Amino acid sequence: MKKSLFALAVLGAFSGVAAAQSSVTLFGIVDAAVRYTDNNGTKLTELTNSGLASSRLGFRGVEDLGGGLKAGFWLESAIGNDDGSTNAQRFWHRRTTISLMGDFGEVRLGRDLVPTFTGYADFDVFGTNGVGDVSKLHTGVVTAAAAQRPALDTLVRADNMVSYFLPSNLGGFYGQVSVAAGEGTVGKKYMGGRLGYAAGPLNVGGFYGQTESTGDDDFKTGGIAAMYDFGAFKLNGIVSENKFRSAKERHFTFGGSVPVGAGLIRASYTKVQGKGSIDGNDADQFALGYVHNLSKRTALYTSYALIKNDGNAYYTVGGKGSALGDDSSGFEVGVRHSF
Amino acid sequence: MKKSLFALAVLGAFSGVAAAQSSVTLFGIVDAAVRYTDNNGTKLTELTNSGLASSRLGFRGVEDLGGGLKAGFWLESAIGNDDGSTNAQRFWHRRTTISLMGDFGEVRLGRDLVPTFTGYADFDVFGTNGVGDVSKLHTGVVTAAAAQRPALDTLVRADNMVSYFLPSNLGGFYGQVSVAAGEGTVGKKYMGGRLGYAAGPLNVGGFYGQTESTGDDDFKTGGIAAMYDFGAFKLNGIVSENKFRSAKERHFTFGGSVPVGAGLIRASYTKVQGKGSIDGNDADQFALGYVHNLSKRTALYTSYALIKNDGNAYYTVGGKGSALGDDSSGFEVGVRHSF
Amino acid sequence: MKKSLFALAVLGAFSGVAAAQSSVTLFGIVDAAVRYTDNNGTKLTELTNSGLASSRLGFRGVEDLGGGLKAGFWLESAIGNDDGSTNAQRFWHRRTTISLMGDFGEVRLGRDLVPTFTGYADFDVFGTNGVGDVSKLHTGVVTAAAAQRPALDTLVRADNMVSYFLPSNLGGFYGQVSVAAGEGTVGKKYMGGRLGYAAGPLNVGGFYGQTESTGDDDFKTGGIAAMYDFGAFKLNGIVSENKFRSAKERHFTFGGSVPVGAGLIRASYTKVQGKGSIDGNDADQFALGYVHNLSKRTALYTSYALIKNDGNAYYTVGGKGSALGDDSSGFEVGVRHSF
């Protein structure tokens, strides 16, 4: 999603002193979709955003410090382009980091995605966006037992994080460890990591992390994921588990995609199983979609997803109303433009 | 107001792959004025913004997809440059859209101006800004009858809007139809359109729209407007009506402008008439101004306006305090800079 | 801090008409630090921002109007890069101004730093950032006497301000007078100024200002400051006083810096004395730091500061908890990157 960036031609100048050529990159995505959802009979037609990729506006840059050392910054804001909104709490919601990079890898400071999110999100054929998004099935923890749900602010991103990334020259191995300072707020103290191997058609990895939550109990999450490109099609799978006190939530995702000319057919199935104190709070999600690329930067897309909730599971594909123990379905048609 | 844009020279690059030259345009306006207002004796001197044109910062771009098809995006934020504020509810308050354009015209998705605003605003000699702005006389509906005022979020812009614009090659005819999804919120479900003809010195058009409001009653607005450039001067007129339940509000505007060297003298008179349940809630606005262009991008300006309210009409030119059934006047001197 | 700006190569265009080459400058700083603080036993480890320089993103530009006249704008936002936040109340918190400049000097309108802040802040060896920042000792007025503390929104910046700056060709003399409109809000009506002389190794100046506060009583602040560059080291001093009703607060700062290769050692001592109704509410701050420049744009830094409060003085170097009449200390290690 962050691949198509546009480098602004920038002429560096230090208060009158001539300086080396440098660069700041402006990048972004605007993605809008007409979406129809039905949550156990509560129907809604809406114009929404980010059905294929998350709408955003960002600035980033890298400075070569010499001797193999580099410094970089990254500022990325979320855009609610259906109604002009941004993240109310954090304008630079998606990422605000400063990095030092070298042969040793990268040290990155600030708000960023946590490795226990990217650890499975990178393997979701729907890119954790739209009605077919798999991440909503991972972040509802712990299913329909409000009193047992941990206070958490680390499921997708974390504030106050210090991360170390392995360098890119390890023959396909990649990895990251991250620690986020809680700063006295429940649900923010986090540590986690991921380790993987990507070479040729194969990408496989695992992740684990924990967040200090209410009553000093830790919320724990971990899993493994893999993807293989057979050429004519790609297959991917995710197995993971979330745990808080006596409640466990397991996720099994199996998906794939088939390129068809300028298009891509995408399909995914996810099973969520509640165990322990949420035993029987299960859900199944079926998702099917098609992306038609008008160019490298612009695509039309359509997706359909159906969630069947059992017990007190209450997942929805989006929209309004509740689907506690019942069905939720959604259909969308949209357009995504990157710049 | 959006005419003087600056195209950043941008070098496109797709993750290592060379790509065609593209462009992102950064544009904006900063406009500040010292304003003095007197609302029935309540006086205020302030530094304010947007006396000549609305302060803003935006990014936009267009991609040529080949075969006559284009994709475009537009992000535009409002700036309260007197105090550093932005729109609290929506950072990208002014516009967030994605478009597909071709010989067929333009399909545009997102938050944008509604055609029932541009339908008359394009004909206001004060550009709907400053003390002489005509739009405040259209958007106070329904005059001084709070219980009868409709809940509306569609008077200037609308969220969740899908618009279709006619192509520009119709021999002077232009037009737009727009539909905004209510998404379950009162006062947001809208449909409207405008149709006009602009050729040589003449521009004439009409508009109509309705918004679903409280009690499923519709708020309705419509009107016609015209402008003629005689060379030595321009004249313009607007006639429109707002309607909600048994209340009607009619607006008659007559204005003109005279270029004088690098300057422009502007004058406008508007009559508002309450009818039905707000009968006699009338108002008259007299506005006079002068704009002095220092360059195409920078101008000094001054404006004066007086509103005389009758009955329970309560319009003010800005500032603090009430002018219910009484007078409101304002004077401002400012500077506008576009980039 | 605003010296290393990068000018974007911008191609001006007015709606189809060719225009002169112009420029918009994008600039910013991202600064993150790991900070440990101890406020009378309340300890906190955090990732914070702006330990060496305030994190920001800005856009600015200047247009040559001919005849020595120029127009300019400046938009500058604060960035909380540890958690992605911005200033909740004002996105363009740091500065939003429009200026006309010429041989006569500069007239600047909008939100900006007040001269009674820059009057001493320019002489703080810690640049009013991080644990060693001297400004927190000036803006706590009036120390630990809540009922006596004035309502103020003009200690660092002011809204609705009109400023006049002397031109730069007065043989080293510089100066500014500023007036901010209160617009009916307590603590916002301000007038102040500064006058100084900077030539060769010497910079010396004075400042004075007052803000209308609760009960129409004025808050008054004034002082003098000087800096001398001996080559091998720099020395600086500040003497100032804040006054509200019968409470007075005096500040004495003495500091210096020593360049060491690519680095800079910084040290500063400040004495705060409460007088009148806050007699004996004194505090001492000791600060020591080191900055290591990796390039002109990127630096590593570390700082330590200790505050000893007497009486009801309650200053802290940052972090959480209270240090009323007791000690507060902090240590940080960080990295700053400008673009």
Side-chain angles (χ1 to χ4, degrees), chain C residues 106-132:
Chain C
E106 176 181 351
V107 174
R108 193 186 290 180
L109 310 175
R111 176 171 175 82
D112 197 6
L113 291 168
V114 293
T116 41
F117 176 77
T118 47
Y120 72 83
D122 284 359
F123 297 85
D124 178 16
V125 72
F126 283 90
T128 64
N129 276 290
V131 293

Side-chain angles (χ1 to χ4, degrees), chain B residues 5 82 84 295 297-298 320, chain C residues 13-14 22 63 90 92 160 183:
Chain B
L5 309 180
D82 46 342
S295 74
R297 293 170 53 197
T298 304
K320 291 198 172 173
Chain C
F14 287 102
S22 184
E63 181 196 13
R90 304 175 181 96
W92 301 106
N160 313 312
E183 302 189 359

Side-chain angles (χ1 to χ4, degrees), chain C residues 153-211:
Chain C
D153 194 21
T154 58
L155 285 172
V156 179
R157 294 173 174 87
D159 295 336
N160 313 312
M161 196 156 64
V162 178
S163 295
Y164 165 72
F165 293 79
L166 292 176
S168 57
N169 58 0
L170 300 180
F173 285 98
Y174 61 88
Q176 170 192 2
V177 287
S178 297
V179 178
E183 302 189 359
T185 305
V186 170
K188 293 179 77 77
K189 190 172 180 178
Y190 167 90
M191 53 187 308
R194 63 183 293 214
L195 190 65
Y197 175 80
L202 177 68
N203 185 359
V204 58
F207 59 93
Y208 177 79
Q210 53 188 64
T211 307

Side-chain angles (χ1 to χ4, degrees), chain B residues 165-229:
Chain B
F165 293 79
L166 291 176
S168 57
N169 59 359
L170 300 180
F173 284 99
Y174 60 87
Q176 169 192 2
V177 288
S178 297
V179 178
E183 301 188 359
T185 305
V186 170
K188 293 179 78 73
K189 190 172 180 178
Y190 168 89
M191 53 189 306
R194 63 183 294 213
L195 190 65
Y197 175 80
L202 177 68
N203 185 359
V204 58
F207 59 93
Y208 177 79
Q210 53 188 61
T211 307
E212 209 177 278
S213 188
T214 319
D216 284 337
D217 280 338
D218 284 343
F219 167 80
K220 293 169 189 173
T221 184
I224 54 170
M227 189 155 57
Y228 197 92
D229 188 347

Side-chain angles (χ1 to χ4, degrees), chain A residues 13 22 63 90 92 96 160 183, chain C residues 5 82 84 295 297-298 320:
Chain A
S22 185
E63 181 195 15
R90 304 176 182 94
W92 301 106
T96 43
N160 313 313
E183 300 188 1
Chain C
L5 308 181
D82 46 341
S295 75
R297 293 169 54 196
T298 305
K320 292 198 170 172

Side-chain angles (χ1 to χ4, degrees), chain C residues 83-120:
Chain C
D83 60 6
S85 64
T86 52
N87 187 290
Q89 209 182 339
R90 304 175 181 96
F91 184 81
W92 301 106
H93 165 66
R94 293 182 54 83
R95 182 169 164 190
T96 43
T97 59
I98 177 168
S99 295
L100 285 176
M101 297 159 278
D103 293 339
F104 60 87
E106 176 181 351
V107 174
R108 193 186 290 180
L109 310 175
R111 176 171 175 82
D112 197 6
L113 291 168
V114 293
T116 41
F117 176 77
T118 47
Y120 72 83

Side-chain angles (χ1 to χ4, degrees), chain B residues 57-87:
Chain B
L57 178 70
F59 301 90
R60 59 172 207 173
V62 174
E63 181 196 13
D64 194 331
L65 298 167
L69 198 63
K70 290 177 181 181
F73 75 97
W74 193 299
L75 304 173
E76 190 175 323
S77 176
I79 299 177
N81 48 286
D82 46 342
D83 61 5
S85 64
T86 51
N87 186 290

